[in-house]
Amino acid sequence: MCKFYSYIVLAHLEGRTHKLHSERPTHTLSPGMSALCVLKTRCFLRQVLPGLPAAMHRHYSLDVSAPLLRTQGYVDGRWVSAASVFPVLDPATGKEITRVADCGAAEAKQAVDAAYKAFHSWKQCTAKERSILLRKWFDLLTLHKEDLAKLITFESGKPLREAVGEITYAASFLEWFSEEARRVYGDIVPSPAKDRKILLLKQPVGVASIITPWNFPSAMITRKVGAALAAGCTVVVKPAEDTPLSALALAELAEQAGIPISFTGSTATGKVLLKMAADTVKKASMELGGHAPFIVFDSADVDKAVAGAMGSKFRNSGQTCVCSNRFLVQSGIHDRFMEKLGQAMDAELRVGHGSDPETTQGPLINARAAEKVAHQVSDAVSRGAKVLKGGKRLDGSFMEPTLLANVSTEMLCMKEETFGPLLPVIRFNTEEEALAIANASNVGLAGYCYSQDVSQIWRVAEALEVGIVGINEGLLSTPEASFGGVKQSGLGCEGSKHGIKEYLEVKYMCFGGLKP
């Protein structure tokens, strides 16, 4: 069995772009910089939720196993301090949870060097050996599911029930790719010449640099890292600076499992990264978000369409890349759909701190995100939209779940991805009209269609310019299926048997001089 515990490298950089260089400054963390209070083997953080209804003015405690609450970087087998730290905030309260070591470009270079060193050993492991280690990581995530979910809730605001679901989802990618590791097959191709054999081998690309977002701080790491490790690559991960605690906890469990991982950071966008990668012809795979249409035709089952809209729109308070943003409802069913949707919002949505078991809508990631949603609402109202539910910006990072009617295509909410709990509805008359509106976007990640007309379903599914289509279903993601978009939604795909291909190269080997 291969051993890799000494190759794990973890570092965090503050929210700015860094160039790698060879300088090696000395880093120290002053005593008392952490806001943690460690009691026995548990960590407790008490916070108050201000400025919201009185029922939510209560204390909330982050109570997780001490080894999972990491605040230092992890570089080449060692947890290390840095010259400075940056705060991690609870978006529900704005209060500081703790401070994390703010590593710099030198640590990033060390992380890459360590990952490169580990690569030469990791790629020599058999597929079975890699599979076993990934399975161990899966088992550890499952074992610590509750604590990992609490970290997600406190640093991202996600309701606890959803956070537990994310950990299950995150673990499922490790399970899936632990199995796919043993199914990376090459080919023997019939040769046109009798004296040679043609073989196509699949080999790992090398060190993979992986940048992940804050909205799924655990699952977006495992979906990418699981595939890379299964292929035989080592990885350098840049987690979002808003949610480093989840990434650090995963690194702790990866270390326990013997997984070769590195963590670094920057805030460069996908297009900037593509330009940088082009200079040295680096292979790139990117999921860059979407602006999903949700089409409800007259033949649809209204109750199912409403349930799908609720799940697709309000999961994680509307902060997912495949969230429905543009709702198109055909005239014949429009009024019934709107009535039932409003009733469902009243009955099912509860705003509050994610730790409260009654909460279904936590805060947005920060005040800027709430401001963006409020601005889209204001713009829509100024152009003739009608607020049927919600519409108000609450204190801090909270926003009321909002339902808009009389929406038109020139409104901002129909042009820009919202990433918040705003549900704007356009009334349409014909299938052609709906498709024209749905496809009038420069991105195309996901799209949804509700209909009971089989011929219409096929027409619309094929015509939608997206990489993922939900037919009479609002929740799509699963490790068995591909995840990727078209247009400016990105390059390549993740998940499924195809996800591992992003981390492999094909080598042609011609074995000649054979005697017939």
Side-chain angles (χ1 to χ4, degrees):
M1 176 62 66
C2 298
K3 296 182 179 179
F4 298 94
Y5 54 84
S6 64
Y7 299 137
I8 299 169
V9 185
L10 184 70
H12 278 281
L13 279 69
E14 64 178 333
R16 58 176 185 264
T17 303
H18 295 269
K19 294 182 179 178
L20 299 182
H21 53 80
S22 60
E23 297 176 8
R24 294 289 191 273
T26 301
H27 298 282
T28 59
L29 181 63
S30 301
M33 293 298 286
S34 174
L36 297 177
C37 174
V38 182
L39 303 176
K40 297 183 179 179
T41 62
R42 311 291 288 184
C43 284
F44 296 90
L45 300 169
R46 296 215 172 264
Q47 304 182 346
V48 179
L49 188 62
L52 284 166
M56 291 188 284
H57 280 240
R58 52 168 291 191
H59 292 281
Y60 296 94
S61 299
L62 173 57
D63 175 11
V64 299
S65 175
L68 292 180
L69 193 54
R70 290 288 188 175
T71 60
Q72 293 176 297
Y74 194 78
V75 178
D76 204 11
R78 296 177 298 111
W79 292 98
V80 299
S81 301
S84 61
V85 294
F86 66 92
V88 181
L89 306 179
D90 180 350
T93 66
K95 302 288 186 178
E96 183 178 298
I97 300 173
T98 187
R99 297 185 181 186
V100 172
D102 186 9
C103 301
E107 285 77 19
K109 180 62 164 61
Q110 290 171 18
V112 172
D113 289 345
Y116 181 71
K117 176 183 175 183
F119 172 65
H120 293 289
S121 299
W122 180 250
K123 70 178 181 179
Q124 297 300 327
C125 273
T126 66
K128 182 177 181 179
E129 288 170 335
R130 293 196 296 271
S131 174
I132 289 171
L133 292 179
L134 283 167
R135 180 71 194 200
K136 286 176 65 177
W137 200 13
F138 161 79
D139 290 338
L140 287 168
L141 260 70
T142 303
L143 178 64
H144 296 282
K145 178 170 62 176
E146 298 298 329
D147 278 353
L148 293 171
K150 291 174 185 176
L151 289 173
I152 290 175
T153 292
F154 270 81
E155 66 178 348
S156 77
K158 184 174 293 187
L160 188 57
R161 277 185 297 176
E162 288 191 27
V164 171
E166 179 181 340
I167 295 303
T168 300
Y169 181 50
S172 72
F173 285 106
L174 299 181
E175 180 183 40
W176 172 260
F177 284 114
S178 74
E179 296 161 351
E180 284 297 292
R182 302 181 70 174
R183 295 195 283 264
V184 178
Y185 304 133
D187 297 291
I188 299 177
V189 181
S191 172
K194 294 181 178 180
D195 64 344
R196 68 187 64 179
K197 297 293 183 183
I198 296 174
L199 290 82
L200 302 181
L201 310 179
K202 292 182 180 177
Q203 297 183 316
V205 297
V207 177
S209 176
I210 292 173
I211 298 174
T212 57
W214 49 262
N215 59 334
F216 285 86
S218 293
M220 295 303 95
I221 290 176
T222 58
R223 188 166 74 186
K224 304 171 199 299
V225 170
L229 292 171
C233 298
T234 51
V235 295
V236 177
V237 180
K238 183 269 173 189
E241 61 271 18
D242 293 297
T243 53
L245 300 181
S246 293
L248 289 163
L250 290 185
E252 165 65 27
L253 297 179
E255 178 189 14
Q256 293 179 24
I259 297 293
I261 277 185
S262 306
F263 281 68
T264 62
S266 83
T267 57
T269 63
K271 291 183 179 179
V272 172
L273 289 171
L274 273 176
K275 290 179 181 178
M276 296 171 67
D279 288 342
T280 51
V281 199
K282 292 289 190 298
K283 186 175 182 180
S285 171
M286 297 191 176
E287 187 271 288
L288 302 176
H291 193 31
F294 187 103
I295 307 172
V296 184
F297 289 101
D298 284 344
S299 68
D301 182 313
V302 178
D303 292 330
K304 289 183 178 179
V306 167
M310 292 290 291
S312 175
K313 175 73 264 183
F314 295 113
R315 183 168 59 116
N316 197 22
S317 300
Q319 300 174 112
T320 81
C321 295
V322 293
C323 264
S324 296
N325 278 308
R326 299 172 292 151
F327 288 77
L328 292 75
V329 183
Q330 199 160 14
S331 296
I333 206 172
H334 176 274
D335 292 348
R336 280 193 296 148
F337 177 84
M338 296 297 280
E339 180 183 2
K340 291 194 172 188
L341 179 60
Q343 292 170 352
M345 290 176 65
D346 288 340
E348 299 176 23
L349 303 182
R350 297 288 182 272
V351 176
H353 194 287
S355 293
D356 189 324
E358 299 298 317
T359 293
T360 65
Q361 300 293 286
L364 302 190
I365 189 62
N366 52 43
R368 295 190 307 277
E371 289 168 4
K372 179 181 179 181
V373 179
H375 178 61
Q376 287 193 358
V377 172
S378 176
D379 170 80
V381 170
S382 73
R383 298 174 186 270
K386 182 179 180 181
V387 177
L388 299 185
K389 297 290 178 183
K392 295 179 182 178
R393 165 82 187 279
L394 303 175
D395 286 357
S397 300
F398 286 90
M399 180 75 196
E400 280 187 329
T402 300
L403 175 61
L404 296 181
N406 299 337
V407 174
S408 57
T409 56
E410 72 270 11
M411 297 174 184
L412 278 178
C413 58
M414 298 299 290
K415 297 178 179 179
E416 300 176 353
E417 185 178 23
T418 301
F419 239 61
L422 171 60
L423 198 160
V425 180
I426 283 185
R427 184 195 296 259
F428 73 90
N429 294 311
T430 68
E431 180 182 311
E432 292 75 16
E433 179 188 359
L435 285 170
I437 296 172
N439 290 334
S441 174
N442 62 2
V443 293
L445 182 55
Y448 304 83
C449 167
Y450 276 74
S451 171
Q452 296 185 85
D453 181 333
V454 176
S455 296
Q456 182 178 64
I457 287 171
W458 278 109
R459 288 195 305 270
V460 172
E462 291 184 347
L464 282 173
E465 296 172 359
V466 296
I468 306 168
V469 181
I471 303 296
N472 298 324
E473 180 56 61
L475 299 176
L476 305 173
S477 299
T478 179
E480 293 82 2
S482 61
F483 191 100
V486 299
K487 300 180 179 178
Q488 294 184 32
S489 280
L491 301 171
C493 74
E494 299 173 350
S496 79
K497 67 178 183 180
H498 301 290
I500 201 169
K501 296 177 182 177
E502 303 295 335
Y503 303 96
L504 293 167
E505 294 176 324
V506 178
K507 177 182 285 185
Y508 162 40
M509 185 171 73
C510 181
F511 192 172
L514 302 176
K515 295 181 180 180

